[in-house]
Amino acid sequence: MSTTFQISLDTPAYKGALSCNTDLYINGQWVKPVEGGKIEVFNPGTYARFLDVQKVSDNPAATGKVITSVSVGTSKDVDIAVEAAEKAYKTSWGFKTPGMVRGQMLFKLADLVAQHADELAAFEALNGGKPYESARNFDVGVCINLIKYYAGWADKVHGETVETTENKLAYTRREPFGVVGAIIPWNAPLLMLVMKIAPALATGNTIVIKPSEITPLSALRFADLVAEAGIPAGVINIVNGYGNTVGEAISHHPDIRKISFTGSTLTGRKIQEASAKSNLKVVSLELGGKSPSIIFDDADLEQTIKWASMGIFMNMGQICCAGSRIFVQEGIYDAFMKGFIAAAQNLQAKTADPFVGQTMHGPQISKTQFDRVMSYIDSGKSDGAKIETGGERHGTEGFFIEPTIFTDCKPSMKMVQDEIFGPVAAVIKFKTEEEVIEMANKTTYGLACGVFTENGSRALRVAHALEAGTAWVNCYNSLDVQVPFGGYKMSGIGREWGQHALELYTQVKSVHVNIGMKI
């Protein structure tokens, strides 16, 4: 008998019931793990007064609430999932299902996500601590667009004919890998799930995916929509579990031909090692960042303050491309700081439960992440940086941290060099363009950057000089599903989103046909 999580919410932002299965989704069915076991799932910030839940208990080690538990898989469950995915690839997906038909199913899936958008956003807020309105308008909205975008590509993944001689026909095919694996993080659980699934399925692959053990609920609810969309059993398999068991098994599995991972650089290294030690599966990685925002004297001050604030404080700083290093030219420095501090304090005033209507700033995901961010704040203080605003815990319940701004920062400081993954901005004053480019590039990461100036030539010159996979000019965190996203240096390998993601999930075959050659 499968296990279901049920909860009734009566909050200012969302009123209604939520329900999802908590087992493993393998071969189109909800199944118990081979070896049993459960993972407790927490809510990082919702106050108990808003909950009417089957199980809400105090966690002795934290201030969040346990809202349910989900089944935990092991390598044995991964083996079963891979077998199901391989069978589906050969019998009911891949070349057996034309691209047009795959696209129709994905369009149906997008429609179902749209129909359940409020519910899915509520899962993101409940389990991930995202402000509900942000989850509804951004995360779920982008998911719908991503699925539709790749649905449209499903019958347009073409090879090419290659001119050789009149006695020979040569052409290429872009073919799926077969079974692919994916491991996703907790900071945008539904979006990360869709970001892997949509291009993988559009190109004919089947998939075994591990959601974060911290935030599995939206993925589990999504699985029921997969079945409703008519996608055959075994095409999508979701195995809950820990990184060192399920993630390790996916990384080493000999029948998984390609793996996509979003998460920490440290784990990315381990996945590459696993590929080398197993079957040399193709690896794509979207990893950490310590992205710079560079603000020149001639920037539009009002707009720049808003974009820079969103750049670092979006999703409580829990975003890989967060603009956490902010370089401000000396001529505009004082005016910028006055407005930037005010913006952070305004955000602080809207820090509250994710289900309160006007909340713009929620909690960190877990006590572990809360403690990590606070340790970096302490490090900044110890190294001589000055806190202009924030730097403390907000409230007494949940894992809330005040939006924090440091000045008097030096590039060598630990909190300036390391990815914090929290609402902590390090501001550094600069004089010249050459100086700031050198400081901005002095990092092991290269995921994103922002350039703010009204001088068009300088904007492009600096954007081109910065070592990052995405450069925003006079904006930040502005993403479009048609545009590729990925990093330089230790921020990753490969590009997701846009047409480039199709390359991640296909391999090229060259075909040579003799139509007149003789030997």
Side-chain angles (χ1 to χ4, degrees):
M1 180 181 295
S2 62
T3 306
T4 301
F5 164 65
Q6 294 179 323
I7 184 172
S8 177
L9 293 178
D10 183 12
T11 77
Y14 180 86
K15 301 179 188 297
L18 298 179
S19 176
C20 70
N21 203 291
T22 59
D23 289 324
L24 313 182
Y25 185 74
I26 298 175
N27 201 27
Q29 298 180 329
W30 294 104
V31 298
K32 299 292 184 184
V34 173
E35 297 183 353
K38 296 283 186 179
I39 303 172
E40 288 188 329
V41 176
F42 289 81
N43 170 269
T46 299
Y47 299 131
R49 66 177 180 272
F50 289 140
L51 297 178
D52 174 18
V53 64
Q54 290 177 338
K55 178 186 178 185
V56 178
S57 64
D58 291 321
N59 173 17
T63 56
K65 305 292 183 182
V66 177
I67 51 176
T68 190
S69 59
V70 300
S71 294
V72 54
T74 64
S75 62
K76 295 178 181 179
D77 301 291
V78 172
D79 288 341
I80 296 170
V82 171
E83 184 178 354
E86 192 163 23
K87 180 180 178 182
Y89 174 72
K90 293 176 179 177
T91 61
S92 60
W93 202 247
F95 299 118
K96 297 290 185 181
T97 303
M100 183 177 291
V101 177
R102 296 197 301 269
Q104 290 169 349
M105 293 182 192
L106 286 171
F107 276 122
K108 175 63 174 176
L109 181 60
D111 289 342
L112 288 167
V113 171
Q115 291 170 27
H116 294 272
D118 292 346
E119 178 188 356
L120 291 167
F123 272 116
E124 294 290 88
L126 178 69
N127 191 190
K130 288 178 177 289
Y132 174 81
E133 294 298 331
S134 175
R136 175 65 178 81
N137 296 328
F138 179 77
D139 293 67
V140 179
V142 173
C143 286
I144 296 166
N145 290 339
L146 274 169
I147 299 171
K148 287 182 176 179
Y149 177 80
Y150 288 109
W153 268 111
D155 61 352
K156 303 174 185 67
V157 184
H158 301 152
E160 58 186 358
T161 58
V162 183
E163 183 181 354
T164 57
T165 72
E166 287 300 304
N167 294 320
K168 181 178 174 182
L169 169 66
Y171 63 93
T172 64
R173 286 163 53 90
R174 296 205 71 95
E175 298 184 348
F177 285 95
V179 181
V180 302
I183 302 172
I184 61 173
W186 46 258
N187 62 321
L190 186 66
L191 178 53
M192 295 295 171
L193 181 86
V194 166
M195 195 165 73
K196 311 297 185 187
I197 285 175
L201 267 62
T203 49
N205 299 280
T206 57
I207 192 166
V208 176
I209 191 162
K210 186 194 94 67
S212 169
E213 64 272 19
I214 299 174
T215 54
L217 297 186
S218 56
L220 297 175
R221 180 64 186 96
F222 181 86
D224 281 328
L225 303 183
V226 168
E228 193 174 343
I231 295 172
V235 172
I236 297 175
N237 304 274
I238 300 175
V239 183
N240 312 319
Y242 294 105
N244 61 2
T245 51
V246 172
E248 185 86 357
I250 290 174
S251 301
H252 282 88
H253 204 287
D255 294 324
I256 291 178
R257 312 292 177 165
K258 182 262 184 304
I259 186 168
S260 178
F261 169 75
T262 298
S264 72
T265 300
L266 176 62
T267 303
R269 287 177 181 270
K270 293 179 180 178
I271 288 171
Q272 278 199 300
E273 291 174 3
S275 171
K277 292 176 179 178
S278 56
N279 61 341
L280 286 177
K281 56 177 63 66
V282 174
V283 176
S284 58
L285 304 170
E286 198 267 276
L287 307 175
K290 192 68 178 177
S291 301
S293 288
I294 299 176
I295 299 163
F296 288 96
D297 286 346
D298 65 343
D300 180 326
L301 183 62
E302 181 180 356
Q303 282 295 306
T304 297
I305 288 168
K306 291 178 179 178
W307 285 111
S309 178
M310 186 174 78
I312 176 56
F313 298 130
M314 182 179 181
N315 199 30
M316 295 67 74
Q318 298 172 144
I319 183 169
C320 53
C321 54
S324 53
R325 294 183 297 147
I326 301 177
F327 297 92
V328 186
Q329 199 164 23
E330 55 187 6
I332 202 175
Y333 182 85
D334 290 340
F336 172 82
M337 286 306 304
K338 181 179 178 181
F340 189 43
I341 291 168
Q345 291 172 345
N346 180 59
L347 194 62
Q348 170 61 29
K350 296 179 180 179
T351 301
D353 183 279
F355 284 103
V356 174
Q358 299 304 311
T359 295
M360 294 180 63
H361 188 78
Q364 307 311 121
I365 188 64
S366 65
K367 186 172 189 301
T368 298
Q369 188 62 19
F370 173 91
D371 290 342
R372 172 184 166 85
V373 175
M374 292 305 297
S375 73
Y376 275 105
I377 291 174
D378 291 340
S379 171
K381 294 176 183 177
S382 299
D383 287 343
K386 177 186 176 183
I387 290 184
E388 298 289 347
T389 189
E392 302 292 338
R393 177 178 187 161
H394 173 86
T396 60
E397 188 170 9
F399 308 124
F400 296 87
I401 294 177
E402 296 174 346
T404 301
I405 299 173
F406 276 99
T407 57
D408 295 343
C409 301
K410 294 182 172 51
S412 60
M413 290 179 177
K414 180 179 175 66
M415 54 88 64
V416 178
Q417 285 295 315
D418 291 1
E419 182 180 39
I420 298 175
F421 226 61
V424 181
V427 183
I428 299 174
K429 188 188 295 187
F430 74 92
K431 291 184 179 181
T432 68
E433 179 181 317
E434 294 75 18
E435 172 195 18
V436 75
I437 289 172
E438 183 178 353
M439 286 193 294
N441 284 338
K442 199 169 185 179
T443 173
T444 59
Y445 296 110
L447 190 55
C449 62
V451 181
F452 296 88
T453 175
E454 293 298 292
N455 183 319
S457 296
R458 176 163 59 190
L460 296 181
R461 185 170 62 245
V462 175
H464 294 175
L466 295 174
E467 297 167 352
T470 292
W472 284 293
V473 176
N474 294 326
C475 60
Y476 207 95
N477 283 340
S478 176
L479 296 169
D480 297 278
V481 299
Q482 307 94 325
V483 182
F485 182 82
Y488 285 11
K489 300 190 282 192
M490 290 177 63
S491 287
I493 301 169
R495 294 293 180 269
E496 296 186 285
W497 300 46
Q499 184 176 350
H500 286 262
L502 302 172
E503 299 172 6
L504 295 182
Y505 292 96
T506 55
Q507 48 197 341
V508 177
K509 175 181 286 181
S510 298
V511 182
H512 302 259
V513 182
N514 181 353
I515 57 174
M517 294 187 299
K518 304 224 180 261
I519 58 173

